[in-house]
Structures are given as C-alpha cells and as structure tokens.
Amino acid sequence: MRKTISPWGLKCKAQMILLGFSLKDLAESVELSPTYVSSIINGRMIAPEETVEKISKTLQVDMTSVD
C-alpha cells in the first residue's frame, strides 16, 4: 500500500538538496539506516516522535507539518 508523502516529507527532501545531504549523510547524522530514514520521509512508515524530531533538527525543518 502506498501512502502520499506529507508536506513535512517534501520539506525534508527540499532541505536535503539545499544542504547538500545525501540520504546516506542524513542517515549517518541521525544514526539510523538509510532505508528506515527513506521510509519515514516518503510516508511509508510512521516513526516515533523522537526520530522525526532528530531528522527535523538535522535538516532544520519545522515539525508542524508532520502528518
């Protein structure tokens, strides 16, 4: 089943480009696997709030648009 990407996920993707982060870079920064981080950002998986907060802080993205 495919879930639509949230506004937060879209902001994360845009911010990764602006900061020059690859998925691997982001995953290493938040100490998670690239597959897990990708699943969270693309809306395929719902992560604990602490994990979303780590990703948001690393990318400097507001958490208010998380679905």
Side-chain angles (χ1 to χ4, degrees), residues 17-51:
I17 293 167
L18 288 173
L19 296 174
F21 272 43
S22 68
L23 184 59
K24 183 179 177 184
D25 295 333
L26 177 58
E28 287 175 0
S29 295
V30 296
E31 300 177 335
L32 298 168
S33 77
T35 304
Y36 185 55
V37 173
S38 174
S39 293
I40 295 166
I41 291 174
N42 288 306
R44 292 188 303 270
M45 182 174 290
I46 298 172
E49 187 174 336
E50 298 82 27
T51 302

